[in-house]
Amino acid sequence: MHTIISVKDKQFKPFISEASILKAVQNVANKINAEMSAKNPVFLVVLNGSFMFASDLLKNIAFPCQISFIKVASYHGTSSSGAVTELIGLTEDLTNKNIVIIEDIVDTGVTLEKLYNVLMKKNVAEIKVATALLKPKSYNKKYPIDFVGIEIENEFVIGYGLDYDGYGRNLKELYIIV
Ligand code: 5GP
């Protein structure tokens, strides 16, 4: 049965079920467990959208790890130096650390690129990326996306942490616009 839901001024229909999402997340966890367990990584959860993915994923990580929650903020300084990117919430020293960025969705990769640029300046050892969703036809940056839950077309989705104008993050399935 297809239940149409209204979120603000738009209608959305079910896209990917909770069971499919959780299966994909378990696969991501299995890969991270296999590849990263000896690396003592720091997981950087990029808020807000990735809170639900991070919760499901990290429950299935089977080795001791550090977890930190950050926000990416961009602002224009007073000079002509262009946009400045800042990480809000990062308190750990990341020097020589193996980082796993946890993203909700990678679309064009602009956000990821900003994150990369800031983290590279902190002398980290390596950066890996885990994302619940990837839009491969939209992504045009050079950074490898190491752990991908589900690849989707260039459609606007909500649910599982992702919002439309602040709403829809709590939905446990993914929805797309009707
Ligand atoms: P990017 O910088 O990779 O183009 O986009 C990343 C950000 O755009 C995501 O973290 C998310 O906030 C937003 N975004 C991209 N695609 C979608 C989508 O389909 N649905 C929602 N709700 N947000 C999206």
Side-chain angles (χ1 to χ4, degrees):
M1 195 185 80
H2 287 276
T3 317
I4 306 287
I5 59 163
S6 294
V7 179
K8 300 197 80 176
D9 59 331
K10 297 210 184 320
Q11 290 198 309
F12 292 83
K13 63 182 176 186
F15 176 47
I16 300 175
S17 70
E18 183 186 20
S20 300
I21 296 166
L22 292 178
K23 197 172 156 205
V25 174
Q26 183 64 61
N27 286 337
V28 171
N30 293 347
K31 287 198 185 102
I32 294 176
N33 283 329
E35 272 188 46
M36 303 298 295
S37 64
K39 291 191 169 184
N40 190 26
V42 178
F43 290 97
L44 283 189
V45 181
V46 185
L47 297 173
N48 293 326
S50 54
F51 77 95
M52 208 174 273
F53 173 49
S55 174
D56 288 337
L57 177 70
L58 293 168
K59 278 184 271 185
N60 291 294
I61 294 301
F63 53 84
C65 58
Q66 286 174 289
I67 303 165
S68 195
F69 298 88
I70 59 167
K71 278 194 179 188
V72 182
S74 292
Y75 59 92
H76 288 274
T78 47
S79 71
S80 56
S81 57
V84 180
T85 301
E86 196 185 28
L87 295 190
I88 298 171
L90 186 65
T91 50
E92 287 86 353
D93 179 11
L94 298 182
T95 309
N96 293 327
K97 290 286 190 177
N98 297 303
I99 309 295
V100 182
I101 294 170
I102 300 187
E103 274 281 17
D104 49 356
I105 188 164
V106 176
D107 184 357
T108 62
V110 168
T111 309
L112 187 62
E113 183 172 58
K114 287 179 186 165
L115 254 171
Y116 245 91
N117 289 338
V118 179
L119 291 174
M120 295 299 261
K121 290 184 196 140
K122 297 192 181 291
N123 301 315
V124 300
E126 81 171 349
I127 301 172
K128 299 263 184 185
V129 180
T131 186
L133 302 170
L134 171 67
K135 295 182 183 173
K137 289 181 182 154
S138 178
Y139 183 63
N140 61 17
K141 302 294 179 194
K142 61 185 176 180
Y143 313 103
I145 313 294
D146 305 277
F147 309 106
V148 178
I150 302 172
E151 293 190 350
I152 63 170
E153 295 293 315
N154 290 347
E155 286 165 306
F156 185 78
V157 299
I158 63 163
Y160 202 63
L162 289 156
D163 74 308
Y164 167 56
D165 209 8
Y167 289 83
R169 293 192 196 278
N170 57 309
L171 299 166
K172 55 191 170 198
E173 300 177 310
L174 282 159
Y175 288 77
I176 48 173
I177 290 184
V178 175

